[in-house]
Amino acid sequence: MPNVSAGEMTDEVGSAQEDVASRLQELGLGPWDVVVLLSTVFLAVVMPIEAVFDDLDAAWIIVASAVISIVLVADMRRRYAALGSGYFGAWFTVDVLAAFPFDLVAEIPGIEGTSAGSVIRILALLRVLRVARLFVLQRRWRVQTSLNPAVLRLVFFGFWIALVAHWIASGWIALDGFESGPADLAPYQSSLYWTITTLTTVGYGDITPIGPGQTYYTMATMALGAAMYGYIIGNVASLLANLDVIRSRHLQRIETVNHFMRDRQVPRELQARVRDYYNYLWDSRLGQETEMLEDLPKPLRVEIALHLNRAILEKVPLFRGAGEEFFRELVLHLEPMVFLPGQVLMRRGEMGHRLFFINQGEVEVWSRDDSEVLAVLSDGDFVGEMALLSSQPRANTVTATEYCNVYALGREGFDRVLSGFPEVDAEVRRIAEERRLESTQES
Amino acid sequence: MPNVSAGEMTDEVGSAQEDVASRLQELGLGPWDVVVLLSTVFLAVVMPIEAVFDDLDAAWIIVASAVISIVLVADMRRRYAALGSGYFGAWFTVDVLAAFPFDLVAEIPGIEGTSAGSVIRILALLRVLRVARLFVLQRRWRVQTSLNPAVLRLVFFGFWIALVAHWIASGWIALDGFESGPADLAPYQSSLYWTITTLTTVGYGDITPIGPGQTYYTMATMALGAAMYGYIIGNVASLLANLDVIRSRHLQRIETVNHFMRDRQVPRELQARVRDYYNYLWDSRLGQETEMLEDLPKPLRVEIALHLNRAILEKVPLFRGAGEEFFRELVLHLEPMVFLPGQVLMRRGEMGHRLFFINQGEVEVWSRDDSEVLAVLSDGDFVGEMALLSSQPRANTVTATEYCNVYALGREGFDRVLSGFPEVDAEVRRIAEERRLESTQES
Amino acid sequence: MPNVSAGEMTDEVGSAQEDVASRLQELGLGPWDVVVLLSTVFLAVVMPIEAVFDDLDAAWIIVASAVISIVLVADMRRRYAALGSGYFGAWFTVDVLAAFPFDLVAEIPGIEGTSAGSVIRILALLRVLRVARLFVLQRRWRVQTSLNPAVLRLVFFGFWIALVAHWIASGWIALDGFESGPADLAPYQSSLYWTITTLTTVGYGDITPIGPGQTYYTMATMALGAAMYGYIIGNVASLLANLDVIRSRHLQRIETVNHFMRDRQVPRELQARVRDYYNYLWDSRLGQETEMLEDLPKPLRVEIALHLNRAILEKVPLFRGAGEEFFRELVLHLEPMVFLPGQVLMRRGEMGHRLFFINQGEVEVWSRDDSEVLAVLSDGDFVGEMALLSSQPRANTVTATEYCNVYALGREGFDRVLSGFPEVDAEVRRIAEERRLESTQES
Amino acid sequence: MPNVSAGEMTDEVGSAQEDVASRLQELGLGPWDVVVLLSTVFLAVVMPIEAVFDDLDAAWIIVASAVISIVLVADMRRRYAALGSGYFGAWFTVDVLAAFPFDLVAEIPGIEGTSAGSVIRILALLRVLRVARLFVLQRRWRVQTSLNPAVLRLVFFGFWIALVAHWIASGWIALDGFESGPADLAPYQSSLYWTITTLTTVGYGDITPIGPGQTYYTMATMALGAAMYGYIIGNVASLLANLDVIRSRHLQRIETVNHFMRDRQVPRELQARVRDYYNYLWDSRLGQETEMLEDLPKPLRVEIALHLNRAILEKVPLFRGAGEEFFRELVLHLEPMVFLPGQVLMRRGEMGHRLFFINQGEVEVWSRDDSEVLAVLSDGDFVGEMALLSSQPRANTVTATEYCNVYALGREGFDRVLSGFPEVDAEVRRIAEERRLESTQES
């Protein structure tokens, strides 16, 4: 988990679970799908247990098994309705096997107890195969949801490992492996304990195989454990790293810069200012927009940019009357910029080419002789409109008093957009004129 | 296995195995090579067993050993015929040792039972060395087949680990290590069980070494196990990641975009549309072509592009009569593009520079006043030819009604190709003229 | 730890610890924060121990518990003063629970020994939750200090693992797990031994669970151990690799170049010279500046560049009188360059465009007929000023006699900076004139 | 070891060992350094053993200890001579401690057996510290040799692990841990066996700690084992991957291309041709040059390029008389190119701009009517000189008959180089004239 503390992970997992609840819709799971899904998991868990315990005929299992058969048959009808004859492939066979109540048939008097009954009892394990559907689900969810794929992998990963451990423990019961376990444990407890001890490669050795059958089973479990372990470890790093890709990259950059500055003995105070800059950049999430947007086709780009910047534009009193279409045109011409405390946005006498929308932060407009502050502008204000409207040099110097997150609108883009919206154009000119009069009076 | 579910992996492995069968030819393995290969593996497995069990002189092993000697001598003749004196290097020695039936010589009455017989019995282990040939094979296959190299590595990896475990178990038998094992197991079973327990670092401790010899052997096995484990884990991640390189990259992109959108609270509906776009891009496999093609020299580039696009071009009625040469020229000028539902391909009144071949999808041609749909064009149709032939503005607006996968042919490229094929040129002009008349009648 | 020896690591860790001491200020930890931090850790360690040992009522623990309650209440007041009502969130609850002396209440006569007393004893475990504050600390430190983040992660990592092991051992005591341990160990010793044996997956098996409770606890510990192990391994590589990111990259480049040269059988002597070049580049830390600086906004860029180069500029006698402002302008126009032994800086007769500041190294100025060395210049000297001031060809050839680290100042940048500082301009011209006269006399 | 078979690894390691022998010089190790190095390792191995076995006073150890003290004192004198007073730092202390024969002093009658003797015996462990010098050596070698750094790391890695295991085993002896081991093993055998069992996390449990001392020691060893394991695994992947960086990259490219082609169902035959192309590119090592060279400063670039191409240029009969200086100029203007079988190098009638040097491969020069092959040119020949010398169109078509590795010399570069070497210019013109006459006669 490079650069992601356990605390963040917990948050991430927590909010992800919330998401799971609120997004069943998004995941394409109606109530019916959830029922079918739970039925499938139930079969995967209970069938192996039923197969190894001959005398496990609790009423509720029989009822559940029957209900699930009905549910799955109903689901097959639904699927056939949706897919038509395209349904009769491999999945159809799997669905039929899962829907057939082998375990109930084996309990029918006359069959129960006979060798045919024993075979049917084993065949009931075929119902487990349906759990492979979850692979399909996992693959679909990976691309179709906004859920963090790393969290999704983590959840499925845990599920599969738990299920495999359960299966291995069931097999160990079938081989009577629990008999060499501690006397004070139930067979399943003893078998699961052996499974976990072996799969995690801890290997206490208090339960060891007796006879060739158990020995071969143990060797297979060990080999599987080693492979799974390798697989898990190989995955964990990338998994956790991906929990928060973008933050990771940010921290790595700070890391490198820190290293460089320490190495070149840059003074502490200056180091702190450089770090401040990067952290401000991160907190305000600037700079990610550009990268993200240029990958998209234009229609989507406009919509994303509009979502991100509309709030800013609507803060500007000037545009309050402007319509949707105006914003659509404008957003693509905005360029995000950052100014540091004390940095100059515009200097008196220079020719200006840009109007600045102050998204967040505070700037000071200085008098002509730079002796006093005429105005303090902040979030939602704009500055620099005079030089844009007429070809005059900047009348005042403007400096940032704190970190400022600013959107700059270049003259060319400005003119192009305004030309299409005469009513907004008029409004802009009116306000600009007002300001010009104000500043003339003051001087 | 970042982003590749176990299900996909199974598919991959399954289809890979099929490939192995159908591609023995491609792997450069004739029937004879397969025989030699199996003989080599047989020696690697059986020789250690023969060396540790003094009384293992089953008839079939003796026959097999003799047959293999003959096979390997015949293979040496074949090799000499192919390589000439270049063959008398290190591999020649290995081949001679493998072909010599040490184990049979040791059974000759008069030698059997003497100390010379014991030495010869040990020397038979030299026959095992020939298995090193498999390294050569593995290296050659890696570059010469279209088999997924990750799958290849996985298969060889499993083979080598199993073989090494077998050898270690044989050594444990030679040291009488099985004697401290459970009484109900055969010596080989007990030894293999000990080997797996130790190599996987499970270490039950039910079989432990007795005396210095077994202790040193155990330490070496443990160290090897640890190294192998480290090696396996270090490999598994990259291995599984490479099972599906391109899909991995696609999912990573979606992951990053999802993260960004969630972070900036882009509305769900818009998020879904952005994901849809990326998934469409993926399903239609656009965008990979360009990357792939620009790496190749021109002759190969033409052939690949031709393979990919010929079907598209042949759908265009206009080109049905055109020959191979025309397509060869044309394919290099096609540029793949994607249009979103509702996006405008061309707008009435704009000057057009491109002809669009609709590869897959549906577009609507609007009347001059944009009030009604004149025509719906889809797969295999083309649109925009008028503005290309004469320097007129587009007569109609054309919009996509669904995701459209389109190949654009720029005017410059178009003219250059047509100029070389006068008969196709004529046909194009004829059809264009027809259409112009149609649209004139309609207006 | 790619390319970083254990020795370097030790150094790194050592100097990091020094840093921790001297930078408590930088970490934002006043003496009070340290007291609160230690109190929190104390609770996390002692509360579980108190909960499992009924008779652990040593006087010092009671006093410590009371003092900590007072400390934490005081800290809550301080926090409330700082945050106002924003403080009443999840953390407030955690702080209240940690400040409440459950363990002392349970000792009050009349409560002690009753079932309510036992419950309160368990509730004391809630005081442990406050340790989660450390996540917040860890996250803040990661971005706000110049401490190597990899070292920080390593330290926190070790802390969390030790704490979790301590908690698991406490739980094992609560389940009486130590009773099956060796008789010669105290309960805590036995439990911690069992915990470490299990978490590291060594699993001697000399202490094994008895009864279902201990068995489930053991399984959970094993699963946690396996996950933690995977997590550790997945982290270690990136952790150690990041201890020295930049050096790593340098070594990797040499590695690739070495490989290439060995492969193409470049003569040993030439290989050595290429390696020398890369090592010189590394030792002088050139080339990292550019990368680092172009990422920063201009105000910070100037300050960093000024820090790096001021010493160089101040060595140049010519600029000794120049003020801060001059250096600020100049530093952005300097371009770092490297010359190899024997390489020509300027050749007689060529038109010159650059003044070279010799940062480190030695160059020879040759006479007009290249027969003798007129002057040897080294650190702090500058050369090439004549051709810069007037449009003449270079009068002399200048060659490097060893590796030279040089800053070049192009004519354009030079003129631009000098124009703003007339007094420095005059001084430069005066010295240039002197030199011209010198060289005229010599010729 | 992505894409590197065990066989290649063995080769690599083997050739590396050879290198070690032949490059002691290059490593900066004179015979004296080797003696000092071996002494240091001897101390690191023997001192712990001496400390734990009270009665280990074999004559040869006493002699060796004395000799080593003398050797190290001599080495200190040598070092002082080289470093002067700069030597009196931390290393000086370490050297003094290593040189002082504590173990001999402890054996002096009158000291031996007393408590002072025991203390001095323990102090002898300080002599081990000198092994830290190996870190310095490892770091220096990493950058100064052409030895594969990955192999170097592997070797040092094995060395350190073995040494640490030896130290831990010695500590276990000191704690009498071997007493609970099997009776048939010597104390050291038993202790080393316990160490390996614990460090590899196998943990048979046949030797378990007795009493608090051994228990704490065991816990520390387990924790160290887990950390080391994590460290090893984290390293192995990058280590093995780096054994052959360039080949790795090549295989990865083929992998991606294979995947793409399989996915798009490119015909088998075409797939094979694309793979052939990449393999040819790899075998001829083209394309790596450019990348490598552009990173170097010009003087080194010329020398490397000269080394790589001189053989090619010297094959060209035309340049045989040309001197070193001519080649130095020419090599920088050569551009490596590849032609596929059947591809056209030049087409009759086109204006030519390049002379082709055939480095390896065969081309056919066709008659003017393309009906017959006039000449077959191969390695060391050149073609296309006519169109370069005069501004005529190509007189003949030239096609490759197999993969051709060609260096192209553009007209501009050609003229620039020739202009500086009139005698080579004349020779080129003479041969060109001869050829022109030949072709005229034939037509």
Side-chain angles (χ1 to χ4, degrees), chain D residues 373-387:
Chain D
V373 173
L374 291 185
V376 173
L377 306 176
S378 69
D379 304 17
D381 287 333
F382 63 109
V383 68
E385 73 285 5
M386 292 304 292

Side-chain angles (χ1 to χ4, degrees), chain A residues 3 184 204 240 262-263 265, chain C residues 142 146 198 211 231 285 307:
Chain A
N3 309 317
D184 54 359
Y204 280 155
L240 296 175
R262 223 167 38 221
D263 194 82
Q265 287 152 0
Chain C
R142 225 161 36 191
S146 61
T198 305
Y231 182 76
R285 309 272 158 161
H307 164 76

Side-chain angles (χ1 to χ4, degrees), chain D residues 99-115:
Chain D
F100 190 80
F102 292 99
D103 45 333
L104 300 189
V105 170
E107 298 293 327
I108 295 174
I111 293 180
E112 192 187 0
T114 67
S115 63

Side-chain angles (χ1 to χ4, degrees), chain C residues 54-55 57 104-118 121:
Chain C
D54 291 343
D55 49 353
D57 38 13
L104 300 188
V105 171
E107 298 292 327
I108 295 173
I111 293 180
E112 192 188 0
T114 68
S115 62
S118 302
R121 198 179 269 286

Side-chain angles (χ1 to χ4, degrees), chain D residues 38 42-43 45-47 49-50 55-68 103-104:
Chain D
L38 291 178
F42 182 89
L43 288 179
V45 171
V46 171
M47 286 302 110
I49 288 291
E50 255 196 310
D55 50 353
L56 189 80
D57 36 13
W60 72 272
I61 290 188
I62 290 174
V63 171
S65 183
V67 169
I68 284 172
D103 45 333
L104 300 189

Side-chain angles (χ1 to χ4, degrees), chain C residues 3 184 204 240 262-263 265, chain D residues 142 146 198 211 231 285 307:
Chain C
N3 310 316
D184 54 359
Y204 280 155
L240 297 175
R262 225 168 36 222
D263 193 82
Q265 287 152 359
Chain D
R142 223 161 39 191
S146 61
T198 306
Y231 182 77
R285 309 272 158 162
H307 164 76

Side-chain angles (χ1 to χ4, degrees), chain C residues 46-257:
Chain C
V46 171
M47 285 301 110
I49 288 291
E50 256 195 309
V52 297
F53 288 111
D54 291 343
D55 49 353
L56 190 78
D57 38 13
W60 73 271
I61 290 188
I62 292 175
V63 172
S65 185
V67 168
I68 285 173
S69 286
I70 295 166
V71 165
L72 294 183
V73 167
D75 189 55
M76 286 173 71
R77 273 192 59 181
R78 206 186 51 134
R79 244 166 234 282
Y80 177 68
L83 299 172
S85 62
Y87 179 40
F88 297 113
W91 281 121
F92 175 71
T93 317
V94 167
D95 285 353
V96 167
L97 289 172
F100 191 81
F102 293 98
D103 45 334
L104 300 188
V105 171
E107 298 292 327
I108 295 173
I111 293 180
E112 192 188 0
T114 68
S115 62
S118 302
V119 170
I120 293 176
R121 198 179 269 286
I122 299 302
L123 287 177
L125 285 175
L126 292 170
R127 303 187 73 177
V128 169
L129 289 177
R130 203 180 191 281
V131 83
R133 280 262 188 213
L134 266 78
F135 285 128
V136 181
L137 216 61
Q138 185 176 359
R139 208 190 306 186
R140 206 179 64 208
W141 285 355
R142 225 161 36 191
V143 291
Q144 280 182 1
T145 75
S146 61
L147 205 61
N148 189 327
V151 172
L152 202 66
R153 267 163 72 201
L154 206 55
V155 169
F156 270 98
F157 212 54
F159 170 78
W160 288 116
I161 288 176
L163 196 61
V164 166
H166 169 72
W167 289 343
I168 292 174
S170 302
W172 189 243
I173 294 172
L175 291 168
D176 293 331
F178 61 89
E179 285 179 3
S180 63
D184 54 359
L185 294 183
Y188 183 76
Q189 285 173 343
S190 174
S191 296
L192 188 65
Y193 168 63
W194 171 85
T195 305
I196 303 283
T197 310
T198 305
L199 278 186
T200 57
T201 79
V202 172
Y204 280 155
D206 50 350
I207 309 179
T208 52
I210 295 166
Q214 290 185 17
T215 301
Y216 284 124
Y217 193 76
T218 302
M219 288 195 270
T221 302
M222 284 169 171
L224 180 69
M228 227 170 68
Y229 221 55
Y231 182 76
I232 294 174
I233 291 171
N235 264 281
V236 164
S238 81
L239 234 170
L240 297 175
N242 286 333
L243 272 181
D244 206 338
V245 180
I246 302 177
R247 175 188 291 270
S248 256
R249 229 180 286 156
H250 168 63
L251 288 172
Q252 205 148 19
R253 186 152 69 162
I254 290 195
E255 212 161 306
T256 312
V257 168

